[in-house]
Amino acid sequence: MAQIVGAQDVFGKWKTIDDKSGKPKAIVEIYKKGGLVYGKILRILEEGRQDAICEKCKGDQKNKPIVGMNVIKALKEEDGQYKHGRLFDPEYGVEVRGKIWLHPEDPDKLKVRGYLAFLYRTQTWQRVKDE
């Protein structure tokens, strides 16, 4: 029973899928800390980029390894979604407002949406079941 309930939340490991190329990019672990939701990169899946550094990052993240970076920061649960926090894209070194939620018909898919002013991009990540 616990496994069924656990499969219905956003926590755990997710395979990020690039919304432009459709290719897997990384494994991100989503977890709760201090009542807020975070996600950090566990592994880069792109061939030849496993040890990539954040060249476009600013401040103390510049030229640091991308593995281990938080890409989901301080989201709060509200109405079945997690929002009012930030999403970070190390490929572009950009942090934006964002939200995440489970796909309504498939709890093994996570919708991840970042907002820049009135524009937004949405990716669909896939739950990693065995790793």
Side-chain angles (χ1 to χ4, degrees):
M1 182 69 177
Q3 200 169 24
I4 293 169
V5 172
Q8 302 300 315
D9 63 34
V10 300
F11 303 105
K13 295 178 185 173
W14 296 88
K15 183 187 302 180
T16 70
I17 307 295
D18 186 273
D19 56 314
K20 293 177 182 157
S21 70
K23 295 183 178 172
K25 294 190 79 166
I27 301 293
V28 171
E29 182 174 27
I30 298 179
Y31 60 97
K32 191 177 255 187
K33 180 176 138 190
L36 300 174
V37 175
Y38 294 85
K40 71 178 174 186
I41 297 177
L42 295 180
R43 193 169 84 227
I44 295 174
L45 301 174
E46 292 176 277
E47 194 63 41
R49 295 207 20 100
Q50 288 84 357
D51 298 320
I53 59 169
C54 195
E55 296 170 4
K56 295 184 178 177
C57 288
K58 295 173 179 69
D60 62 349
Q61 298 229 9
K62 184 156 183 69
N63 295 323
K64 294 283 194 281
I66 291 174
V67 171
M69 285 189 171
N70 275 315
V71 292
I72 297 173
K73 301 177 180 180
L75 297 179
K76 298 174 191 132
E77 185 183 4
E78 183 179 295
D79 301 326
Q81 298 183 351
Y82 295 84
K83 45 192 173 181
H84 305 299
R86 310 290 287 171
L87 301 178
F88 177 67
D89 185 341
E91 188 172 343
Y92 298 101
V94 174
E95 190 170 282
V96 297
R97 288 181 306 115
K99 70 178 183 177
I100 63 174
W101 69 98
L102 289 178
H103 190 290
E105 284 125 38
D106 187 348
D108 289 332
K109 291 184 178 173
L110 182 73
K111 301 301 238 175
V112 180
R113 180 173 291 169
Y115 294 90
L116 188 58
F118 57 88
L119 303 173
Y120 66 86
R121 275 177 54 195
T122 306
Q123 292 183 345
T124 302
W125 295 1
Q126 298 169 349
R127 188 181 300 277
V128 175
K129 297 198 181 191
D130 299 317
E131 189 174 272

